[in-house]
Amino acid sequence: TVLDSCQGSSFQQYYGTGNDERGVASVVLADGNFLVGGDGVVPGALQEVLFIKTDPDGNVIWSKRFGTPGGSEKLQHLAAQPDGGFVALLSSDTWTGFDDASIASFDASGQLLWQKRLITPGIDELRRIVATPDGGWIACGYVQPAPPQKASACFIKLDANGNQQWAKAYGAANGDTYATDVAVALDAGYHACGYYYKPNGVRDAMMLELDAAGNIVSAQVLDYLSNDRVFWSVKASPTLPPNLYF
């Protein structure tokens, strides 16, 4: 469903192939068209990613599947590239048989250019990826060395070709921490949000400020409700006070 500026429905479309599928993310491409992404179970593979490009009215321009025979690929997030292509943040079992985070770059016609595994020390799931001013990317999620060890919020900086420049993980000794979104700040650093699982199983919202190298500048845990989570952060704007990041 696409909404206009008054939050009215411009169009509503259903896309699928008859298999068990789900929509995960959508993005406006550089040419003004839409890209819808999801994943689903198909014959001959455990799970594949599905990309559908549509015009502004929701009419399909092309659709492409991406996966590994006998393997599993799940979509986590999408981001547009200036040349009309896009990158996809994936969860893949191609390398180890367990879910590992990877980033894949596609051209404007949906053809794969490259796919890179994102190396973190353990089980990982990255949930968001956004473009950075240097032409690269930053992704966030969580990493867990091995249960029952605690999960830590994880941030990975990539260059324009998907090469890992740095990875940082921040956790707590007595609980799990998860990063759910990240945004570029005005000072070339980053602002992120997520949540913290306390030992009693209750969640608290969490906000982080990182410098350009991924080091923590400030961190806050917000205990407003009995069970809190934050899922989105927004890019800071010169028209807003500098303390309004989330």
Side-chain angles (χ1 to χ4, degrees):
T1 300
V2 173
L3 303 177
D4 61 25
S5 59
C6 296
Q7 300 301 302
S9 179
S10 295
F11 69 82
Q12 185 175 31
Q13 297 277 15
Y14 296 90
Y15 307 104
T17 62
N19 297 304
D20 186 11
E21 297 160 335
R22 63 171 187 153
V24 176
S26 62
V27 67
V28 179
L29 297 172
D31 60 5
N33 292 310
F34 298 137
L35 181 72
V36 179
D39 51 48
V41 178
V42 295
L46 297 178
Q47 198 159 3
E48 284 186 344
V49 174
L50 174 65
F51 300 116
I52 301 173
K53 183 176 180 178
T54 79
D55 65 20
D57 295 318
N59 301 304
V60 175
I61 298 173
W62 53 252
S63 63
K64 299 287 178 70
R65 286 193 171 274
F66 174 71
T68 304
S72 180
E73 301 275 359
K74 292 180 287 187
L75 180 66
Q76 299 291 350
H77 201 219
L78 291 171
Q81 301 203 78
D83 62 1
F86 60 95
V87 297
L89 192 60
L90 305 171
S91 180
S92 312
D93 68 359
T94 303
W95 294 278
T96 65
F98 299 97
D99 282 345
D100 287 309
S102 70
I103 180 176
S105 178
F106 299 84
D107 66 18
S109 63
Q111 298 299 316
L112 178 68
L113 300 176
W114 47 258
Q115 183 180 17
K116 304 283 181 71
R117 179 188 176 194
L118 306 181
I119 305 298
T120 60
I123 301 169
D124 47 55
E125 181 178 292
L126 298 179
R127 298 176 175 176
R128 290 288 187 274
I129 187 166
V130 297
T132 54
D134 62 0
W137 309 91
I138 185 168
C140 73
Y142 77 89
V143 59
Q144 189 172 14
Q149 297 183 55
K150 301 300 181 182
S152 298
C154 181
F155 302 89
I156 299 181
K157 178 67 176 69
L158 310 163
D159 67 17
N161 296 313
N163 300 307
Q164 191 167 305
Q165 295 177 305
W166 51 255
K168 301 292 177 71
Y170 301 108
N174 60 348
D176 297 304
T177 57
Y178 300 87
T180 54
D181 200 10
V182 62
V184 178
L186 296 177
D187 61 0
Y190 308 98
H191 297 99
C193 63
Y195 55 97
Y196 162 60
Y197 259 114
K198 295 186 287 191
N200 62 3
V202 174
R203 293 171 299 212
D204 282 340
M206 176 184 70
M207 297 191 295
L208 299 173
E209 180 182 1
L210 309 176
D211 66 18
N215 302 305
I216 288 183
V217 177
S218 66
Q220 296 184 59
V221 173
L222 308 177
D223 188 6
Y224 291 131
L225 304 173
S226 60
N227 211 356
D228 309 311
R229 286 188 290 177
V230 180
F231 287 101
W232 297 283
S233 58
V234 297
K235 184 175 181 179
S237 166
T239 63
L240 295 176
N243 60 332
L244 296 181
Y245 300 131
F246 299 94

